[in-house]
Amino acid sequence: MTHPFLDLPPLSAAHFASIEDRVARLLDTRQDVVIMQGEALLPLEGAIRATTGPGTTALNVITGPYGQTFGNWLRDCGATVVDLAVPFHTAVTADQIREALTEHPEIDFVSLVHAEAATGNTNPVAEIGEVVREHGALFYLDAVASVGAEPVLPDAWGVDLCVIGAQKAMGGPAGVSAVSVSSRAWARMAANAGAPRRSYLSLLDWKERWVDGGRKALLHAPAQLEMLALEACVERIETVGLEAVMARHRGAALATRAGAVALGGGLEPYVYEAKDAAPVATTLRTPSGVAASELVARALASDPTLPLAAGGGALAKEMIRVNHYGVDATMGAVQACLAALGAALGEKGLDVDLEGARRAVEDAWR
């Protein structure tokens, strides 16, 4: 049996390195960029375990479920963790970060999620990065959901460890991910006796055997299909233009928010302020007495391909997520999602304005 996905020639080290270079250009960074052979949880966990330990005091910002996960990893590494949690319907501010650093001057590591697709908020990283830089802490950023939907600039923002994945706004594969690493972060890893070595989680293995070796010999056989898909994804963004891709996501977010308000039926934006809302996904609060999971199930019954999901865990009762990222960052996808939700609300006996929602989407997209 022959198939274009089978019997591929080996991916050379030079080809692998060229894809890393293209990712670095996407991030406008001169830091080392390492593409890791797994979903973004791999470098997210690997970077924390490489740079933290019993001597670390970390400020862990929680604006959604991933921030909670990072706190668990930090504690597992033996770090002292100061959690800064804000309501999921808002974003953290640079002033809140500054206050926490002033109260705990011993903090030497700050972990933050840029955009929380699960809760629909986004954090002002540029302002936060300035505060963290002044304090001198190492700055770790999860930009998996934000890259491609809004600016991600590790060098300009003073981010020491910036993890990205291609499966959301970039419209690429989930099986590979990348992390940009500053010289300060590499030094922290080298001084950390507990940093993973000879491990799939190890960033130091990549540093010593790949980066320091001139990127001439890969650590192990690369995931060819995923690497080629990542290359194609980046090439598409280069061809269309990153600004155009981000504009499409901004348009989708503004249109979804405006359309949901016009739709009525008790549906309203989950994130209160538009400035705090992520362009990668819009979360909506359901009316009292209407379970989000049930409403989504009704909407998906009409079209299972719609990018709709209920919130995770306890949020399944009250939150709907419209995942307008990648190929779904279009007016058509937004219109279809709101129409399906409107129909489901109508079946519940709630008053909705489908035509008003349609017009609001069109007006906001302009």
Side-chain angles (χ1 to χ4, degrees), residues 304-332:
T305 67
L306 292 175
L308 288 171
L315 294 176
K317 295 180 180 179
E318 63 179 14
M319 180 196 286
I320 293 171
R321 195 169 72 239
V322 183
N323 295 316
H324 44 67
Y325 54 71
V327 297
D328 290 316
T330 65
M331 186 186 299

Side-chain angles (χ1 to χ4, degrees), residues 87 145 157 198 201 308:
W157 296 344
R198 294 168 294 282
L201 284 170
L308 288 171

Side-chain angles (χ1 to χ4, degrees), residues 134-269:
E134 289 173 0
H135 186 79
L138 208 69
F139 191 12
Y140 162 100
L141 183 70
D142 172 356
V144 175
S146 55
V147 65
E150 54 188 308
V152 176
L153 301 167
D155 293 12
W157 296 344
V159 178
D160 295 288
L161 295 155
C162 182
V163 177
I164 67 167
Q167 68 268 33
K168 287 188 167 63
M170 288 177 65
V176 287
S177 48
V179 54
S180 67
V181 187
S182 73
S183 57
R184 290 202 321 149
W186 283 132
R188 179 80 71 95
M189 292 180 210
N192 181 11
R197 305 299 296 268
R198 294 168 294 282
S199 162
Y200 206 58
L201 284 170
S202 178
L203 279 167
L204 276 176
D205 287 354
W206 282 97
K207 166 67 170 168
E208 295 175 359
R209 296 171 56 191
W210 173 245
V211 177
D212 292 348
R215 300 191 298 176
K216 296 187 183 336
L218 288 160
L219 276 63
H220 45 70
Q224 292 161 282
L225 285 174
E226 288 82 358
M227 288 299 295
L228 293 173
L230 176 60
E231 181 179 42
C233 158
V234 175
E235 182 174 356
R236 180 172 60 189
I237 293 173
E238 291 171 345
T239 300
V240 175
L242 180 58
E243 287 297 329
V245 175
M246 291 191 295
R248 187 161 52 84
H249 284 83
R250 284 195 301 272
L254 290 171
T256 304
R257 191 177 184 91
V261 171
L263 180 64
L267 211 60
E268 59 185 30

